């Protein structure tokens, strides 16, 4: 094989991918069988199988038990609006942002005390093993799972206060900024870093993805006078959503 030349299975996958993208193989069409791929491209069974695996890992095709492999419907990505923290107005940032997009967003949550891992402790500026309140969320758009989030807050900040549980009490569901303000902590900065990785099995089961699908991971931390008061990992399926930022130029 010449330097820089793609392996045979990637060349076959690339040609099939192009047919899917340009509509020659429209959604719900059965992908050519392994035998047909072998015959049309003059490759071995192993190459044909590996090419199909590539397309499946990319989420372009899906296997149907006892029927074969079919081209998947390609969703039109929708936007998730991000605008950082906002002045307290009695509503969560998620609910505000979904209202701006003209959709109806809901969520489920569960909070429990935990010990900070080494990574979370570093993000919060505390010691590993320090107590935190961990809250897991499933966000839904029109009833369909669209986003997952896990939040950690140091109990040294919120413990034994009315806002210790993020989704309970008089300020439950109002967001970090307003809850912290209620205990005289002024959030003045937020850092968000966006990355991507293959989705974990439990994430994809909840979000309705298939193995190999990529998710965007937004790592967010709220600060008050340089002290981290909350950090969270937000997980979004990359094939269905785009993260859009509204940034002030003032």
């Amino acid at each position: 094989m010449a330097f820089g030349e793609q392996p045979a299975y990637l060349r076959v996958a690339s040609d099939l991918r192009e047919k899917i993208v340009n509509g020659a193989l429209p959604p719900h069409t059965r992908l050519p069988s392994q035998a047909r791929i072998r015959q049309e491209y003059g490759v071995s069974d192993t190459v044909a199988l590996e090419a199909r695996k590539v397309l499946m890992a990319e989420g372009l095709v899906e296997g149907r038990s006892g029927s074969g492999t079919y081209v998947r419907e390609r969703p039109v990505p929708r936007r998730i609006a991000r605008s950082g923290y906002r002045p307290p107005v009695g509503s969560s940032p998620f609910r505000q942002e979904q209202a701006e997009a003209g959709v109806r967003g809901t969520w489920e949550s569960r909070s429990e005390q935990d010990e900070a891992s080494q990574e979370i402790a570093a993000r919060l500026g505390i010691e590993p093993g320090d107590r935190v309140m961990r809250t897991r969320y499933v966000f839904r758009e029109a009833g369909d799972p669209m986003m997952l989030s896990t939040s950690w807050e140091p109990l040294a900040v919120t413990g034994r206060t009315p806002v210790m549980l993020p989704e309970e009490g008089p300020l439950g569901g109002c967001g970090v900024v307003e809850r912290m303000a209620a205990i005289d902590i002024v959030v003045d900065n937020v850092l968000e870093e966006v990355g991507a990785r293959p989705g974990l099995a439990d994430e994809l089961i909840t979000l309705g993805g298939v193995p190999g699908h990529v998710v965007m991971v937004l790592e967010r931390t709220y600060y008050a006078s340089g002290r981290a008061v909350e950090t969270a990992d937000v997980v979004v399926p990359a094939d269905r959503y785009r993260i859009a930022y509204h940034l002030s130029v003032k």
Side-chain angles (χ1 to χ4, degrees):
M1 182 173 66
F3 179 77
E5 185 180 350
Q6 282 188 323
Y9 76 95
L10 289 181
R11 295 199 303 273
V12 174
S14 179
D15 188 69
L16 291 171
R17 185 189 304 112
E18 178 63 25
K19 291 179 178 179
I20 293 172
V21 171
N22 67 22
L25 287 172
H28 310 296
T29 299
R30 185 174 180 177
L31 195 71
S33 67
Q34 189 168 313
R36 185 174 173 185
I37 292 174
R38 181 188 64 212
Q39 181 179 11
E40 288 188 4
Y41 293 93
V43 296
S44 66
D45 281 333
T46 300
V47 169
L49 177 60
E50 291 302 313
R52 290 158 63 90
K53 286 182 178 179
V54 168
L55 298 177
M56 192 167 292
E58 292 176 349
L60 294 174
V61 301
E62 61 184 355
R64 299 179 185 175
S65 180
S67 180
T69 304
Y70 291 79
V71 177
R72 294 183 70 241
E73 186 81 42
R74 299 181 67 201
V76 177
R78 288 171 284 179
R79 294 173 60 190
I80 294 177
R82 303 292 301 171
S83 53
Y85 61 88
R86 301 183 176 193
V89 294
S91 180
S92 74
F94 172 74
R95 185 168 286 163
Q96 293 172 5
E97 290 159 358
Q98 291 297 289
E100 284 188 358
V103 296
R104 184 177 180 181
T106 60
W107 70 89
E108 307 154 10
S109 66
R110 184 180 67 185
S111 296
E112 57 188 349
Q113 294 190 31
D114 197 3
E115 294 183 355
S117 66
Q118 186 170 354
E119 177 191 355
I120 297 305
R123 286 162 55 173
L124 290 172
I126 60 178
E127 293 297 321
D130 283 357
R131 303 296 293 176
V132 294
M133 183 64 69
R134 182 186 67 199
T135 305
R136 292 193 170 106
Y137 296 86
V138 178
F139 295 92
R140 299 179 183 274
E141 179 181 280
D144 296 326
M146 60 169 290
M147 183 168 65
L148 307 176
S149 177
T150 304
S151 165
W152 297 267
E153 295 180 353
L155 286 174
V157 174
T158 61
R160 298 184 180 180
T161 74
V163 300
M164 185 174 73
L165 293 169
E167 299 297 322
E168 296 184 21
L171 293 176
C174 287
V176 175
V177 177
E178 187 171 354
R179 289 176 46 250
M180 293 298 164
I183 56 174
D184 298 322
I185 294 175
V186 178
V187 173
D188 54 19
N189 194 15
V190 59
L191 173 66
E192 293 191 349
E193 299 181 7
V194 181
R197 59 166 169 77
L200 304 179
D202 58 340
E203 294 170 341
L204 295 176
I205 289 172
T206 301
L207 292 170
V210 299
H213 268 193
V214 172
V215 296
M216 294 177 285
V217 181
L218 188 151
E219 182 182 301
R220 181 200 67 209
T221 305
Y222 283 105
Y223 295 91
S225 300
R227 181 185 187 182
V229 296
E230 188 258 13
T231 192
D233 286 337
V234 181
V235 178
V236 181
D239 64 327
R240 284 182 275 154
Y241 293 94
R242 297 290 182 266
I243 298 177
Y245 283 86
H246 296 270
L247 304 176
S248 173
V249 296
K250 295 181 180 180

